[in-house]
Amino acid sequence: MLRMRLLVVLTLAALVAAPAAAQTEIVWWHAMGGALGEKVNEIAAGFNESQDEYVVTPVYRGSYAETMTGAIAAFRAGEQPHIVQVFEVGTATMMAAEGGIYPVHELMGKYAEGWNPDAYLPAVISYYVSDEGNLLSLPFNSSTPVLWYNQDALDELGLEVPTTWEELEAAANTAVENGWECGMTSAWQTWIQLENFSAWHDLPFATLNNGYGGLGTEMAIDNEGVINHIAQLQRMTENNAFVYPGRESAGEPMFLNQECVFFFNSSAGYGAINTGADFEFGQTMMPVDTRIREEPQNSIIGGATLWVLQGHEEEEYRGVARFFEYLSTPEVQADWHQFTGYVPITLAAYELSQEQGFYEENPGTDTAIKQLTLNEPTPNSRGIRLGNFVQIRTVMDEELEAVWSGQKTPEEAINAIVQRGNELLRQFERANR
Amino acid sequence: MSERSFFKNRWLPYWLLLPQLLITAVFFLWPAGKALLQSVQRQDAWGLNSSFVGLANFFDLFRDDLYLQSFGTTLIFSVAVTLIALAGGLLFAACADFILKGSNAYRSLLMWPYAVAPAIAGALWYFMFNPSLGIIANALEAIGYDWNHALDGGDALLLVIMASAWRQIGYNFLFFLAGLQAVPNSVIEAAAIDGAAPVRRFWAIIFPLLSPITFFLIVLNTVYSFFDTFGVIHATTQGGPIQATSILVYKVYETGFLSQDLGGSAAQSVVLMTMVIALTFIQFRYLGARVHY
């Protein structure tokens, strides 16, 4: 009994002593699992050690979709975190929450002395600015698709790295003729072969500047360039010059197991490919379809940004602003970029990586940033902002699968995407008017 | 009900019923009511504005060909899962009933799959059948079948049916085993003396005696295949390819969680709820009538 009492007294004493230095807590929900999640914890720990007023607590919430859904549900219950990581296709949904989100340009303008939006790479932030050009969320992990290739295989087959779709098809055919199971495969087919293909060739993806101009936007991919591209891919499936691996990142094992010579994937696949490949690999810019253009325009990003949610104390927002400043420092950014393959979000971080000789030691790791900054973005290559975009991606996945399995012609599938996509866009418009 | 019981206190029966009624109200009536309410509203994701739209959400649903197609998929899926899971459970139970030595270990092993979380079960099957990594996919390729659940709807449906049924076999096995052990030995011995072989004894005597358990399991497995299989599908095919494995409950998730369309999702929940209530009713009315307790 006496021991029990002693225990209670000691516990109480510990509780009283703990918050001697009362720190403001900032909660950050994210969707970075595995090694990326450890890196996120490292970043938060770095910030927490750099000052003693605020504590950032990162919480892993599952996939991108689960994280966004959870944050919205929490908001409806009045339990929202301060910061939530949302993938690029959730942008329109987040923007529709007037009074729900705290635009980053407002937050930084109010609490961060000397914050300069021009420090960020235009190609990265263009996806997340309002029509007036104001930054709504802070880019955190942005990537863009690149073409990965098996260097050993190219040497063995006597092939050059392809720069056009014509060359890629010929190289893939050569690989298959010489006993490879598959010439080329692609992860994230919608993001890479439709969304980025359109931007890369300066083709419109949707009307009203790809949806930046308002909720009345309509799908615009029923053009000759896209239909011909899908027809070419379909032709390549016939002899396994292109093998469809499944949705999202399903193609990765096929490249790492040396079943396919070429692999379209996010630049952020670098970490996994670097650890998983026991062959010489390289990355290069996406090929150009010379039937449409001689020179590529620029690619668009994927990945996610950090949104700030309304409903917290002023002191806490001050802390969020401090954390965002820390997150944007060249050292933190360059480290994150070099570890993950995500692009640096500021010019300074890019220059720092150059100074550190990272690109010389790891050739090709600046491919993503080169693609993004190739040209001044046009209304077709700034980004894509559609409501119900998650569902529209599923529609695109389904219709493309119908092409790969021979149930629909490329033209039928693309028209179905336009028709079904428009229905989803109208639905979003009705719910958010 | 010829006998009537009389309580001394008029209110006592109601007091005794209260806990159960409370649980039903909190865990079923309240959420179901909320789903009904949301199904006639159109809301934005954040719940910042909502408007009453009557039955528009339901009309939208039944105008959607892919939603109608999902009914057929769900039917095939749940009938197949129920049949395979019941047949498997019964087969193993009949075998286990004969074993005397080491039967405990055998029973425990058979129960294991039931303890596996749906998402894990999905991941397991996904790996075994992965076209480029999977053991089974490679074995199938060796005998000349090109397995590809990323593109072939039939393969994908087969995969989720097998994974879902596999999880449920252990549960059915346990119930069937208990039922088999309750069959009086005298009846079986009498049949044996009359010259009925084991298989004949099983179908003529044992199986009819199992009918209450079989009926109970049919209802339970149907409900399982309608609702609890979400995790398996989510972890393997995500409803694809081309919605070949998009059963009704997966659509509810997709509409509500992925696209934040709460009205449409609630309308689908209401449709699903109605279906399962109707199904259970039919099962009790027609199957239940043929069960001998």
Side-chain angles (χ1 to χ4, degrees), chain B residues 84-248:
Chain B
I84 296 172
L86 282 175
L90 185 58
L91 177 73
F92 288 134
C95 296
D97 201 30
F98 285 112
I99 299 178
L100 294 171
K101 265 192 189 154
S103 62
N104 270 341
Y106 178 74
R107 271 174 230 171
S108 311
L109 285 175
L110 272 171
M111 274 308 292
W112 268 7
Y114 186 67
V116 175
I120 308 282
L124 283 175
W125 285 78
Y126 178 82
F127 277 120
M128 289 192 292
F129 280 90
N130 184 304
S132 90
L133 301 170
I135 308 169
I136 299 180
N138 286 339
L140 284 169
E141 214 161 304
I143 59 168
Y145 185 82
D146 186 16
W147 176 273
N148 185 355
H149 61 251
L151 265 191
D152 187 316
D155 285 359
L157 193 57
L158 203 60
L159 176 70
V160 292
I161 286 171
M162 286 189 297
S164 307
W166 171 79
R167 275 198 68 235
Q168 196 65 6
I169 282 177
Y171 184 83
N172 296 343
F173 159 81
L174 210 66
F175 274 89
F176 275 130
L177 190 68
L180 285 170
Q181 291 180 337
V183 173
N185 262 337
S186 54
V187 190
I188 301 174
E189 281 162 9
I193 289 165
D194 287 341
V199 174
R200 176 74 202 270
R201 291 206 291 268
F202 180 85
W203 287 117
I205 294 166
I206 299 175
F207 189 67
L209 284 173
L210 283 177
S211 66
I213 286 183
T214 311
F215 169 64
F216 162 77
L217 286 177
I218 286 177
V219 176
L220 219 91
N221 280 264
T222 308
V223 173
Y224 161 83
S225 65
F226 260 84
F227 291 102
D228 291 358
T229 48
F230 161 80
V232 171
I233 291 174
H234 186 52
T236 48
T237 60
Q238 283 105 51
I242 332 172
Q243 302 215 4
T245 53
S246 206
I247 63 170
L248 290 166

Side-chain angles (χ1 to χ4, degrees), chain A residues 65-66 68-69 71-72 75-76 93-94 96-98 100-101 244-248 250 253-254 257 259 309 388 390-391 394 398 401-402 404-405 407 420 427 430-433, chain B residues 38 42-49 60 66 126 130-133 141 148 150-153 234 237-243 246 253-262 264:
Chain A
E66 284 161 351
M68 182 165 106
T69 307
I72 290 174
F75 179 84
R76 293 175 77 123
T93 302
M94 298 303 288
E98 289 207 13
I101 55 166
Y244 173 64
R247 294 181 195 179
E248 300 187 349
M254 298 178 72
N257 287 345
E259 288 173 41
L309 297 177
N388 276 338
V390 182
Q391 256 183 310
T394 305
E398 286 169 3
E401 280 166 354
W404 313 144
S405 60
Q407 295 173 41
R420 290 175 64 193
Q427 200 183 8
R430 283 197 302 266
N432 290 286
R433 240 185 314 226
Chain B
Q38 282 184 337
R42 179 173 291 137
Q43 275 191 358
D44 73 312
W46 300 78
L48 296 167
N49 50 43
D60 284 349
L66 284 162
Y126 178 82
N130 184 304
S132 90
L133 301 170
E141 214 161 304
N148 185 355
L151 265 191
D152 187 316
H234 186 52
T237 60
Q238 283 105 51
I242 332 172
Q243 302 215 4
S246 206
Y253 157 81
E254 215 176 12
T255 313
F257 281 77
L258 291 181
S259 44
Q260 315 287 342
D261 172 11
L262 287 178

Side-chain angles (χ1 to χ4, degrees), chain A residues 368-403:
Chain A
I369 202 117
K370 280 185 180 156
Q371 283 189 160
L372 287 168
T373 52
L374 207 53
N375 291 302
E376 192 63 34
T378 70
N380 292 334
S381 69
R382 184 167 38 156
I384 299 167
R385 185 167 301 161
L386 304 179
N388 276 338
F389 203 175
V390 182
Q391 256 183 310
I392 291 172
R393 270 210 180 150
T394 305
V395 165
M396 294 195 285
D397 264 324
E398 286 169 3
E399 297 298 338
L400 287 178
E401 280 166 354
V403 175

Side-chain angles (χ1 to χ4, degrees), chain A residues 25-28 80-84 307-309 312 316 320:
Chain A
E25 193 195 28
I26 292 152
V27 181
W28 172 19
Q80 65 271 37
H82 302 79
I83 307 171
V84 58
W307 291 80
V308 185
L309 297 177
H312 295 286
E316 292 164 5
V320 173

Side-chain angles (χ1 to χ4, degrees), chain A residues 22-317:
Chain A
Q23 291 176 306
T24 309
E25 193 195 28
I26 292 152
V27 181
W28 172 19
W29 283 8
H30 66 86
M32 303 268 92
L36 292 175
E38 284 161 31
K39 202 74 188 168
V40 162
N41 292 338
E42 205 179 292
I43 291 172
F47 171 74
N48 295 343
E49 282 160 21
S50 73
Q51 42 76 55
D52 53 12
E53 285 173 79
Y54 308 102
V55 175
V56 167
T57 312
V59 186
Y60 173 62
R61 304 287 302 183
S63 71
Y64 280 137
E66 284 161 351
T67 304
M68 182 165 106
T69 307
I72 290 174
F75 179 84
R76 293 175 77 123
E79 304 279 334
Q80 65 271 37
H82 302 79
I83 307 171
V84 58
Q85 183 191 20
V86 177
F87 53 168
E88 87 284 23
V89 286
T91 306
T93 302
M94 298 303 288
M95 281 179 63
E98 289 207 13
I101 55 166
Y102 199 149
V104 162
H105 71 95
E106 276 178 36
L107 175 97
M108 299 307 270
K110 194 168 172 186
Y111 300 114
E113 287 285 313
W115 179 72
N116 178 15
D118 297 339
Y120 299 89
L121 288 166
V124 175
I125 61 171
S126 66
Y127 208 110
Y128 305 101
V129 295
S130 68
D131 232 27
E132 298 79 46
N134 292 320
L135 188 60
L136 298 167
S137 60
L138 186 77
F140 173 60
N141 57 314
S142 298
S143 58
T144 202
V146 293
L147 179 63
W148 299 88
Y149 55 88
N150 184 326
Q151 183 63 56
D152 292 351
L154 293 193
D155 293 345
E156 176 197 326
L157 297 163
L159 291 167
E160 294 289 307
V161 175
T163 57
T164 68
W165 270 96
E166 217 174 346
E167 289 169 9
L168 176 61
E169 184 175 3
N173 284 337
T174 307
V176 172
E177 283 154 19
N178 285 286
W180 280 74
E181 274 177 63
C182 129
M184 178 273 285
T185 188
S186 174
W188 304 99
Q189 57 176 1
T190 58
W191 180 53
I192 298 177
Q193 305 301 346
L194 289 176
E195 296 164 35
N196 262 285
F197 182 87
S198 297
W200 196 233
H201 296 92
D202 199 17
L203 300 168
F205 188 85
T207 59
L208 299 180
N209 299 341
N210 281 358
Y212 281 66
L215 295 177
T217 174
E218 292 186 348
M219 302 290 289
I221 58 168
D222 48 346
N223 57 61
E224 209 183 340
V226 171
I227 292 172
N228 284 340
H229 174 57
I230 300 304
Q232 180 175 19
L233 285 172
Q234 185 195 28
R235 184 174 69 233
M236 289 172 72
T237 60
E238 285 164 15
N239 63 344
N240 288 347
F242 164 51
V243 172
Y244 173 64
R247 294 181 195 179
E248 300 187 349
S249 56
E252 206 163 67
M254 298 178 72
F255 181 65
L256 295 177
N257 287 345
Q258 302 209 55
E259 288 173 41
C260 310
V261 177
F262 298 100
F263 177 39
F264 281 92
N265 192 22
S266 160
S267 60
Y270 177 67
I273 293 174
N274 202 12
T275 50
D278 47 11
F279 52 88
E280 283 295 308
F281 64 87
Q283 54 176 310
T284 184
M285 285 199 193
M286 290 184 287
V288 187
D289 189 333
T290 49
R291 290 173 296 183
I292 307 170
R293 288 171 69 91
E294 285 301 320
E295 292 296 323
Q297 169 57 40
N298 65 285
S299 67
I300 50 175
I301 59 171
T305 53
L306 304 183
W307 291 80
V308 185
L309 297 177
Q310 289 283 12
H312 295 286
E313 303 294 318
E314 186 155 3
E315 183 52 26
E316 292 164 5
Y317 286 125

